[in-house]
Amino acid sequence: MDNPSLHAERREHLAALVGDGIALLPAGVETPRNNDVEHPFRQDSAFHYLTGFDEPDAVMLLDPQAADEQYVLFVRPRDREKEIWTGLRTGTDGAKERYGADASYPIGEFDILLRQRLVGRRTVFLPFGNPGFHRRILQLVRGAAGLGVRYGRLVPTEFRDIGLLVGEMRLVKTPQEIDLLRAACEITAEAHAEAMRFARPGRYEYQVQAALEYVFRMRGARRDGYPSIVASGANACILHYTENDRLIADGDLVLIDAGAEYGYYSSDITRTFPAGGRFTAPQRALYDLVLEAQRGALALARPGGSLKEQQDVASRILAEGLVEIGLLPGPARDAMRMHHYREFFMHGTGHWLGIDVHDAGAYRIEGAPRPLEPGMAFTVEPGIYVDPDRETIQLAMLEFDIDERMERRMLLGPAKAREIEKKEREAAPKVVHPVPEEFRGIGIRIEDDVLVTGSGHEILTGGVPTDPDLVEDLCAEAPLLPFLEPLRPAATGG
């Protein structure tokens, strides 16, 4: 499934951006789960993107101006005794033969060989999000600094973030990447459909999760794109709920946010459906509103559009609807300008999608929303979440620009920015508004994966319905998978 020539093309692209600098990128590392047990290893996304090499404890070196050995992999050496216990290693020979490295050395020789490579290079590209690796390279640069002071040799004086370069490369997908992403989406849609058939009152959330992830594996997705969220009842009001341990009750909605990873590319689907097969009137009212917001955002998914305008239209539709059904006081114009809708819709409408479920790439260019281009992939996922325990909400009658607030948080830091925001809210007039009881504890999100095309967009996850009538029909179907009764009561704490 991996394509060595594709990784080589990416490295050539990166080499052109690096120019006369040198690029360094570490692989992922294994992390302990508990005594003598490791978490399943998954390669760092950028490292896989550039190399295809899927073992831990490695480093990629890209030195475009070198006379030879421009692409070097430092890897774990072959070790028969360790391989008996933990599996085969590629080794230095395999790194050259299978992964196209010009040269490969044992990882233990990295520091010595890199010190030599640093001489004659002004700029080092490395990941800023890896402080341990950054400190290690800085120490090596300091060690070489004497050559510059004493002998006038050129040594690095500039560090740049390789993640920004690779992130931009990853943003527009190639046809091969689109094929992998489409496969992940098709598998995920099929799994969600089976989970909607399988879920019903009296089953645990984790049992529904098992049915969902069974389809992932049987259809060829070896990993989940992220921990599956199966949230019933009020659990759906927790955005990143992952305990998945509640017994589903009659009358519950079930929110499933889950995606299969196929060939390192992840899908990201959310569906919300009635465990008992039929929406109640309050559930249907909120569901219809979220679906309207999603459809409004999807209508703007086209070349030249932006995620920002999708966020704006979804927020406007939700604000107007929340006023109309009584969750917010009017007028709707105030609910938008004062961002009161964020009491019930507190996240973004979408994010980039690819090797990471929240994929790399800038959302703005010189402060302006980034125009969409064919080949970009992203999610569209509005929602409404009504806290089960809030009988009233207190709203500050304060207009503000949400982008200015976010920029202030980045400039001042979250703690200082929130302190200022708190003072602004305290100084503003307040309105206390009741939360209708029939809506409390309802959480709904509808999320699809979208690919920008030359003429508009393609919904990659249309294989599982969002229309509420079709959702109810699917819930009424018999599951394809059998239900196995637990041998004993469910254990706690696990």
Side-chain angles (χ1 to χ4, degrees):
M1 184 160 49
D2 233 8
N3 186 343
S5 64
L6 182 60
H7 297 293
E9 290 173 10
R10 293 165 179 169
R11 291 193 300 272
E12 289 177 10
H13 186 176
L14 179 61
L17 299 173
V18 169
D20 59 2
I22 189 170
L24 303 170
L25 187 65
V29 297
E30 292 178 311
T31 55
R33 177 184 182 271
N34 56 305
N35 189 38
D36 287 338
V37 179
E38 307 286 340
H39 283 288
F41 177 73
R42 198 269 194 186
Q43 185 60 278
D44 173 82
S45 294
F47 194 89
H48 173 81
Y49 180 82
L50 292 169
T51 70
F53 187 79
D54 285 345
E55 295 180 23
D57 305 323
V59 176
M60 182 203 77
L61 181 150
L62 195 63
D63 189 0
Q65 300 306 310
D68 54 12
E69 298 189 0
Q70 295 179 353
Y71 167 45
V72 182
L73 280 177
F74 295 86
V75 303
R76 300 179 304 179
R78 297 294 304 271
D79 185 319
R80 183 177 181 278
E81 183 175 350
K82 289 184 178 179
E83 290 179 44
I84 289 172
W85 288 92
T86 58
L88 299 178
R89 296 180 176 186
T90 299
T92 55
D93 290 340
K96 292 180 289 185
E97 295 166 3
R98 294 168 52 193
Y99 296 95
D102 298 327
S104 182
Y105 299 97
I107 187 65
E109 298 179 15
F110 173 72
D111 288 9
I112 295 173
L113 295 176
L114 177 62
R115 189 178 290 112
Q116 302 168 21
R117 290 282 190 141
L118 293 173
V119 179
R121 302 290 178 263
R122 184 183 304 279
T123 305
V124 177
F125 293 82
L126 74 173
F128 280 15
N130 189 331
F133 186 74
H134 202 157
R135 285 193 298 269
R136 180 180 180 183
I137 302 307
L138 183 58
Q139 184 177 2
L140 292 173
V141 170
R142 286 172 177 163
L147 289 171
V149 174
R150 188 178 298 271
Y151 299 107
R153 302 289 298 276
L154 179 64
V155 294
T157 57
E158 181 182 18
F159 290 89
R160 294 182 60 184
D161 187 4
I162 192 174
L164 297 178
L165 301 183
V166 180
E168 290 300 294
M169 290 170 57
R170 286 164 52 181
L171 190 52
V172 176
K173 302 327 188 251
T174 64
Q176 298 97 320
E177 290 177 291
I178 291 170
D179 286 344
L180 293 172
L181 188 58
R182 183 175 283 112
C185 291
E186 290 172 354
I187 292 168
T188 303
E190 182 179 347
H192 272 263
E194 179 58 15
M196 292 164 73
R197 299 184 194 99
F198 189 86
R200 60 192 59 184
R203 294 183 177 177
Y204 283 95
E205 294 166 339
Y206 60 78
Q207 292 172 325
V208 178
Q209 177 186 356
L212 174 98
E213 294 176 0
Y214 174 86
V215 178
F216 287 176
R217 301 296 176 269
M218 295 305 293
R219 290 304 190 195
R222 296 172 56 196
R223 285 189 290 252
D224 307 331
Y226 53 95
S228 298
I229 297 169
V230 182
S232 62
N235 288 340
C237 298
I238 303 170
L239 299 183
H240 288 168
Y241 169 82
T242 55
E243 286 85 351
N244 298 351
D245 59 2
R246 180 177 176 272
L247 188 68
I248 299 170
D250 193 26
D252 280 349
L253 289 180
V254 180
L255 183 156
I256 298 181
D257 185 339
E261 181 183 291
Y262 183 82
Y264 269 86
Y265 285 79
S266 179
S267 177
D268 186 2
I269 297 179
T270 305
R271 291 293 185 266
T272 310
F273 56 93
R278 290 287 182 269
F279 291 101
T280 66
Q283 291 170 351
R284 179 65 181 259
L286 294 187
Y287 188 96
D288 287 346
L289 177 54
V290 173
L291 184 58
E292 180 186 358
Q294 195 208 31
R295 288 173 173 171
L298 284 169
L300 301 175
R302 65 191 186 283
S306 70
L307 297 190
K308 173 66 164 57
E309 66 177 358
Q310 294 176 38
Q311 175 82 28
D312 289 345
V313 74
S315 299
R316 176 183 57 77
I317 291 170
L318 290 175
E320 293 172 352
L322 290 168
V323 169
E324 184 177 342
I325 64 178
L327 275 168
L328 287 176
R333 184 178 65 175
D334 285 351
M336 271 299 292
R337 293 190 303 182
M338 301 179 187
H339 302 280
H340 292 163
Y341 64 88
R342 289 181 65 84
E343 294 290 327
F344 304 106
F345 173 49
M346 62 291 292
H347 59 76
T349 303
H351 55 77
W352 305 130
L353 187 68
I355 291 182
D356 289 323
V357 66
H358 286 197
D359 209 24
Y363 288 87
R364 291 176 180 261
I365 303 296
E366 296 182 351
R370 182 173 207 141
L372 296 174
E373 303 174 32
M376 290 181 173
F378 56 90
T379 65
V380 180
E381 51 177 305
I384 292 175
Y385 315 90
V386 187
D387 190 314
D389 300 321
R390 293 182 75 187
E391 298 180 0
T392 62
I393 53 174
Q394 186 182 72
L395 303 170
M397 305 304 289
L398 174 69
E399 291 187 29
F400 62 91
D401 185 295
I402 197 164
D403 289 329
E404 291 179 0
R405 277 200 173 182
M406 295 304 294
E407 185 173 351
R408 183 167 63 188
R409 290 186 182 187
M410 285 183 254
L411 291 173
L412 302 181
K416 181 62 177 178
R418 288 193 177 100
E419 180 182 329
I420 294 172
E421 292 165 16
K422 181 180 178 182
K423 291 179 180 178
E424 291 173 343
R425 287 194 301 270
E426 289 174 347
K430 307 294 191 304
V431 168
V432 176
H433 184 75
V435 177
E437 184 176 2
E438 64 268 25
F439 295 123
R440 294 178 208 159
I442 296 177
I444 296 171
R445 181 165 62 254
I446 304 172
E447 177 180 21
D448 278 294
D449 301 342
V450 177
L451 175 71
V452 182
T453 65
S455 59
H457 69 268
E458 176 187 351
I459 299 176
L460 300 174
T461 47
V464 57
T466 58
D467 178 275
D469 294 328
L470 296 179
V471 167
E472 290 182 339
D473 290 345
L474 185 55
C475 291
E477 293 181 9
L480 303 179
L481 297 176
F483 177 72
L484 302 179
E485 292 288 349
L487 295 178
R488 60 188 66 193
T492 60

